[in-house]
Amino acid sequence: MTDYDERQISLMINRIRRFQNKEIHLGVLINDLEALLNALESVSVDWKSAFHEEWWDLEQVYAISLDREDESFLIENEESISSSLDKMKKLIEEIKCSN
């Protein structure tokens, strides 16, 4: 992995941590993770695909919340959001350890 990609991965970790610390909203997290994922240059397609699947789960929960104009939907789906974030963190750890 290039230094550039390592910085993007570090930013991903930072954004997830900031969301979990309630410093940023889910919509910000989703947008930031998508941009950072798209910026990666030397990461395998399989890894990107696996990370995107978890990102997509977050996107769907957020989109339903917006569509329903119901913030409580996010609270109701906190476990699903947390699960996706845990899987993302695991993927990040795997890629960091493989380099």
Side-chain angles (χ1 to χ4, degrees), residues 28-41:
V28 172
L29 174 66
I30 290 167
N31 289 335
D32 287 355
L33 290 178
E34 180 182 33
L36 291 165
L37 180 62
N38 290 334
L40 294 173
E41 298 175 339

Side-chain angles (χ1 to χ4, degrees), residues 41-58:
E41 298 175 339
S42 64
V43 175
S44 76
V45 172
D46 289 340
W47 188 91
K48 282 185 169 184
S49 178
F51 193 90
H52 187 267
E53 284 180 35
E54 299 308 324
W55 173 89
W56 180 244
D57 288 345
L58 296 177

Side-chain angles (χ1 to χ4, degrees), residues 11-26:
L11 289 170
M12 287 175 161
I13 294 167
N14 175 273
R15 294 309 188 275
I16 292 170
R17 181 187 49 74
R18 289 187 65 208
F19 172 77
Q20 291 175 321
N21 290 338
K22 301 187 184 332
E23 296 172 15
I24 60 174
H25 190 269
L26 183 59

Side-chain angles (χ1 to χ4, degrees), residues 55-70:
W55 173 89
W56 180 244
D57 288 345
L58 296 177
E59 173 68 22
Q60 288 178 318
V61 169
Y62 186 61
I64 292 168
S65 168
L66 289 177
D67 188 50
R68 293 181 179 180
E69 297 178 2
D70 182 7

